[in-house]
């Protein structure tokens, strides 16, 4: 049984604070914006969820922890951290709906009911426990569809392989019937998705396979046009590259190409359509992408947050937004996921620095 703990902790060991503050000084954000630290002490911070009361929940993947961060004096900085659970199995994903917090583990989804009112004695129940137990690409992000189903990607347990239909897909889970429906297939490892405001079109990131060289295949941002659409893995990569092992006899035209091909190995994780109105009009309802960064490239790539501008369902521009996580081949941070606070500021998690940044815009400009 997973052990639950609830305790109030003082934020930040000195070394962690110093590291996060040093990284903050290295970051460069788009003109007119400011980046600050919301929290500098969340080990291996991954997905973020914000409750109706403004509580910030964070999955701490390899640490196996779940945290609540509270900004008691509403100054844009968390001043209280609560450890809600420990001993969880790669709890990457968190999603909040109707007062309840949903958390992903490798093989199951758990739920903390009425979480904001039970921070001192949190208890969970198992919602679904029929996912594979493989830890390779087994961590999962979570989110809710406009129709109220829980969306859950399931990566493949390998670099490249042809597995059964439990893997390489993005599912939606009906929480009443427990029925899984395939939203997309041919997906190697998606660690981020969102529904486009206004159209409810489903977009997701996908990490390209390794060991084909520095510059191929591209990582991907994809758009789903119909339920069950196939995006090529493991046969075709990025809509145009036949896999040297699994592509024999396949046609690239049988699979959907990306909406946007990124650099190879940049590892896009969280993606997020900005819905608030604090940012300028050019950023509203546009797609932020967290490029976590390469690990198997002779020269590092990624390590930034970028903005994909979308017009009529097509990506028409892709520009850096927050940079400086890697400089001169030295890694200082790795962006992961996004969430919006109630004031319209944007939170960005960093699992390398153990930090959560807050991006604001100077509306007086």
């Amino acid at each position: 049984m997973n052990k639950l703990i609830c305790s109030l902790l003082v934020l930040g060991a000195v070394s962690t604070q110093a590291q996060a503050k040093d990284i903050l000084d290295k970051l460069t954000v788009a003109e007119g914006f400011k980046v600050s630290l919301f929290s500098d002490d969340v080990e291996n911070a991954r997905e973020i969820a914000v409750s109706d009361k403004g509580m910030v929940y964070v999955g701490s993947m390899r640490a196996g922890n779940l945290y609540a961060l509270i900004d008691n004096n509403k100054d844009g900085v968390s001043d209280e951290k609560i450890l809600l659970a420990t001993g969880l199995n790669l709890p990457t994903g968190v999603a909040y709906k109707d007062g309840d917090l949903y958390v992903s583990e490798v093989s199951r989804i758990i739920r903390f009911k009425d979480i904001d009112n039970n921070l001192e004695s949190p208890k969970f129940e198992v919602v679904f426990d029929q996912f594979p137990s493989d830890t390779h690409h087994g961590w999962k992000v979570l989110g809710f569809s406009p129709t109220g189903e829980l969306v859950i990607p399931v990566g493949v347990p390998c670099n490249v392989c042809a597995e059964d239909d439990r893997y390489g897909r993005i599912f939606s889970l009906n929480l009443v019937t427990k029925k899984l429906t395939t939203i997309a297939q041919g997906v190697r490892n998606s660690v981020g998705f969102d529904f486009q405001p206004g159209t409810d079109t489903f977009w997701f990131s996908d990490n390209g396979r390794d060991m084909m060289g520095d510059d191929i295949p591209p990582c991907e941002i994809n758009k789903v046009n119909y339920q069950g659409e196939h995006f090529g893995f493991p046969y075709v990569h990025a809509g145009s590259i036949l896999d040297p092992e699994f592509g024999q006899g396949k046609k690239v035209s049988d699979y959907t190409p990306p909406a946007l091909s990124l650099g190879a190995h940049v590892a896009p994780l969280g993606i997020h359509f900005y819905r608030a109105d604090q940012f300028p009009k050019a950023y509203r309802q546009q797609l932020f992408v967290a490029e976590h960064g390469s690990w198997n490239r002779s020269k590092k790539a990624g390590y930034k947050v970028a903005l994909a501008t979308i017009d009529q369902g097509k990506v028409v521009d892709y520009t850096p937004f927050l940079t400086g996580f890697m400089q001169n081949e030295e890694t200082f941070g790795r962006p992961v996921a996004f969430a919006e606070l109630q004031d319209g500021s944007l939170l960005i998690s960093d699992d390398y620095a153990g930090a959560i940044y807050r991006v604001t815009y100077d509306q007086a400009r």
Side-chain angles (χ1 to χ4, degrees):
M1 177 180 291
N2 292 312
K3 182 180 179 183
L4 290 181
I5 296 177
C6 179
S7 58
L8 302 185
L9 303 175
V10 177
L11 275 176
V14 173
S15 59
T16 304
Q17 289 179 337
Q19 182 189 37
K21 289 175 181 176
D22 288 345
I23 292 169
L24 194 65
D25 291 338
K26 299 178 186 301
L27 297 180
T28 299
V29 70
E31 184 178 359
F33 292 86
K34 177 184 177 182
V35 58
S36 58
L37 282 170
F38 180 79
S39 175
D40 56 13
D41 184 30
V42 184
E43 183 181 1
N44 204 221
R46 298 287 286 196
E47 196 172 15
I48 318 167
V50 180
S51 76
D52 295 335
K53 293 183 179 180
M55 307 292 187
V56 176
Y57 297 100
V58 189
S60 180
M61 187 174 81
R62 299 199 184 280
N65 297 335
L66 174 67
Y67 295 104
L69 303 177
I70 306 173
D71 176 9
N72 287 295
N73 60 4
K74 308 301 181 185
D75 66 348
V77 179
S78 170
D79 48 41
E80 185 176 340
K81 182 176 76 171
I82 301 176
L83 178 60
L84 298 172
T86 189
L88 301 177
N89 190 4
L90 303 180
T92 300
V94 290
Y96 177 88
K97 183 174 176 58
D98 299 333
D100 299 340
L101 183 69
Y102 295 77
V103 180
S104 70
E105 294 188 88
V106 170
S107 63
R108 67 182 188 175
I109 308 300
I110 60 177
R111 174 172 56 201
F112 294 80
K113 299 199 75 172
D114 193 20
I115 184 63
D116 283 357
N117 296 316
N118 287 285
L119 297 178
E120 295 184 0
S121 55
K123 297 179 181 179
F124 70 75
E125 60 187 12
V126 176
V127 172
F128 189 82
D129 62 358
Q130 299 301 308
F131 291 117
S133 59
D134 311 80
T135 56
H136 191 139
H137 296 152
W139 50 89
K140 298 168 176 63
V141 293
L142 298 177
F144 280 93
S145 74
T147 58
E149 295 202 337
L150 187 62
V151 178
I152 311 154
V154 179
V156 296
C158 58
N159 173 34
V160 58
C161 54
E163 293 291 331
D164 61 51
D165 59 10
R166 296 176 299 161
Y167 301 94
R169 297 183 176 224
I170 301 177
F171 296 102
S172 64
L173 173 66
N174 185 303
L175 293 171
V176 176
T177 66
K178 310 302 182 184
K179 178 184 177 182
L180 286 175
T181 300
T182 297
I183 298 175
Q185 58 183 312
V187 180
R188 179 177 178 269
N189 183 36
S190 178
V191 195
F193 61 82
D194 202 0
F195 290 85
Q196 185 174 11
T199 67
D200 291 341
T201 303
F202 185 77
W203 294 69
F204 68 92
S205 65
D206 197 12
N207 285 233
R209 68 155 288 181
D210 300 315
M211 309 310 174
M212 287 181 67
D214 272 3
D215 299 317
I216 60 171
C219 291
E220 304 172 15
I221 302 296
N222 292 295
K223 180 182 73 169
V224 174
N225 301 288
Y226 58 88
Q227 184 175 299
E229 193 168 8
H230 200 300
F231 290 85
F233 185 86
Y235 316 113
V236 175
H237 307 291
S240 61
I241 301 170
L242 288 170
D243 187 83
E245 183 178 355
F246 294 94
Q248 186 174 1
K250 302 296 183 180
K251 295 190 300 182
V252 297
S253 58
D254 288 339
Y255 306 100
T256 302
L260 176 65
S261 292
L262 303 175
H265 313 299
V266 300
L269 299 191
I271 66 173
H272 175 75
F273 283 100
Y274 182 75
R275 292 167 168 79
D277 58 7
Q278 183 187 121
F279 291 5
K281 185 177 180 180
Y283 293 86
R284 297 175 193 171
Q285 299 190 4
Q286 300 300 330
L287 188 67
F288 284 95
V289 177
E291 294 188 9
H292 194 233
S294 60
W295 63 268
N296 63 337
R297 203 172 180 278
S298 59
K299 289 189 176 181
K300 293 179 179 179
Y303 299 91
K304 68 175 180 282
V305 173
L307 182 75
T309 301
I310 298 170
D311 185 25
Q312 302 294 315
K314 295 183 178 181
V315 179
V316 297
D317 198 13
Y318 190 71
T319 55
F321 176 76
L322 180 62
T323 60
F325 294 98
M326 182 272 294
Q327 299 175 26
N328 299 318
E329 295 299 298
E330 184 177 358
T331 301
F332 302 106
R334 304 186 76 181
V336 177
F338 306 94
E340 293 176 25
L341 291 178
Q342 292 166 340
D343 65 356
S345 57
L346 185 68
L347 297 181
I348 305 170
S349 60
D350 179 340
D351 64 348
Y352 186 88
I356 297 177
Y357 310 104
R358 177 173 175 256
V359 178
T360 55
Y361 184 75
D362 183 3
Q363 293 181 309
R365 285 171 57 88

